[in-house]
């Protein structure tokens, strides 16, 4: 729901300088009645250009019906529903990883991954707060840090994960290009060898024909 119901200039804002930020009030997400307004979530800088291109170039081609401000639309211009987001996430993750997943499993995977790392308790708690998970009653009652202080470590963790993913994808792409270039070079070499062999055979044939012609002359 949180992703599906993002609205331009309502919950998703492009700030001065071009950086995108998500701002949720209590009524904008499922557990808002318990946690209240969420601290602003800044979108990682390397995602900004893709979001700019989608909003400024591709979204208008979907012709949002009634001029609605929902970020994601179906092909017919109506706001994306839960099934639309499910299919987009499932197909994208399968294309990139070869594994079938869905938005709920993706969320679980992120939490499971962080639980298996050396992420601190404050980082895990901050992520839980951003994802709308419950925080223990004890911490809710006695932890006096502000929400902004609690979520600050999560921003660093999320950006680090996204950066590592981007680097990994870039490395994989470079390896793929290198492999393709290598195959092309081998193909050209094989073609040159075939051409050289053909020229040599033609010259040998011409030489034999010349020798036969000389012998046949009286």
């Amino acid at each position: 729901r949180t992703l599906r119901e993002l609205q331009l200039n309502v919950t998703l804002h492009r700030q001065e300088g071009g950086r995108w930020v998500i701002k949720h009030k209590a009524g904008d997400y499922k557990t808002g009645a318990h946690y209240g307004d969420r601290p602003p979530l800044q979108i990682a800088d390397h995602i900004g250009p893709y979001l700019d291109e989608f909003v400024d170039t591709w979204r208008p081609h979907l012709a949002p019906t009634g001029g609605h401000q929902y970020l994601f639309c179906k092909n017919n211009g109506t706001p994306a529903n839960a099934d639309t987001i499910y299919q987009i996430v499932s197909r994208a993750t399968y294309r990139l990883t070869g594994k079938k997943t869905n938005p709920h499993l993706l969320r679980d995977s992120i939490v499971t991954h962080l639980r298996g790392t050396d992420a601190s308790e404050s980082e895990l708690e901050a992520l839980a707060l951003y994802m709308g998970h419950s925080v223990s009653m004890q911490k809710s009652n006695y932890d006096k840090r502000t929400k902004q202080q609690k979520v600050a470590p999560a921003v660093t963790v999320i950006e680090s994960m996204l950066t590592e993913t981007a680097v990994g994808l870039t490395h994989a792409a470079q390896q793929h290009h290198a492999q393709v270039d290598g195959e092309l070079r081998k193909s050209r070499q094989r073609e040159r060898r075939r051409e050289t062999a053909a020229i040599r055979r033609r010259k040998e044939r011409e030489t034999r024909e010349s020798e036969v012609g000389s012998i046949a002359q009286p």
Side-chain angles (χ1 to χ4, degrees):
R1 173 190 170 184
T2 302
L3 182 65
R4 171 169 52 89
E5 295 185 356
L6 282 177
Q7 295 187 64
L8 295 171
N9 303 317
V10 179
T11 52
L12 179 63
H13 304 266
R14 181 158 42 189
Q15 298 179 319
E16 291 185 10
R19 191 166 197 185
W20 291 88
V21 63
I22 297 174
K23 297 181 179 180
H24 278 135
K25 295 186 178 300
D28 295 326
Y29 68 105
K30 186 176 180 179
T31 54
H34 181 71
Y35 293 108
D37 295 355
R38 274 180 173 168
L41 173 61
Q42 292 184 330
I43 304 297
D45 288 337
H46 70 273
I47 297 178
Y50 297 103
L51 194 50
D52 289 333
E53 183 179 11
F54 175 75
V55 171
D56 297 335
T57 302
W58 299 112
R59 186 177 178 275
H61 285 291
L62 296 173
T65 55
H68 71 75
Q69 294 300 303
Y70 288 101
L71 177 64
F72 297 109
C73 310
K74 296 182 181 180
N75 291 336
N76 61 7
T78 59
N81 56 25
D83 184 64
T84 305
I85 300 300
Y86 185 99
Q87 294 298 330
I88 291 173
V89 173
S90 298
R91 290 170 182 171
T93 52
Y94 185 77
R95 185 180 72 252
L96 295 172
T97 68
K99 298 182 183 297
K100 293 183 179 181
T101 186
N102 56 63
H104 298 292
L105 184 57
L106 182 61
R107 179 188 61 186
D108 294 345
S109 298
I110 293 172
V111 175
T112 301
H113 169 75
L114 289 177
R115 284 289 180 183
T117 67
D118 59 355
S120 67
E121 188 64 27
S122 62
E123 290 172 336
L124 294 170
E125 183 183 353
L127 186 61
L129 184 58
Y130 261 135
M131 298 178 76
H133 294 167
S134 62
V135 181
S136 69
M137 184 64 69
Q138 182 184 29
K139 291 183 178 179
S140 297
N141 289 344
Y142 295 100
D143 192 343
K144 303 303 181 182
R145 291 176 298 165
T146 65
K147 287 183 180 179
Q148 196 64 42
Q149 290 172 325
K150 288 181 179 180
V151 301
V155 175
T156 301
V157 171
I158 293 171
E159 291 187 346
S160 176
M161 290 175 60
L162 292 173
T163 299
E164 290 176 1
T165 301
V167 171
L169 292 174
T170 299
H171 180 64
Q174 291 173 340
Q175 288 183 321
H176 175 70
H177 290 319
Q179 181 179 2
V180 171
D181 289 342
E183 292 298 329
L184 287 174
R185 284 196 298 270
K186 292 179 181 178
S187 177
R188 294 190 189 102
Q189 290 172 353
R190 289 193 295 268
E191 184 63 28
R192 284 196 294 269
R193 286 196 293 270
R194 285 194 294 268
E195 291 175 354
T196 300
I199 293 172
R200 184 173 63 253
R201 288 192 298 270
R202 185 172 65 251
K203 288 183 177 180
E204 291 174 350
R205 185 173 62 252
E206 291 173 351
T207 299
R208 288 194 299 270
E209 290 173 352
S210 177
E211 291 175 350
V212 171
S214 299
I215 294 173
Q217 292 180 357

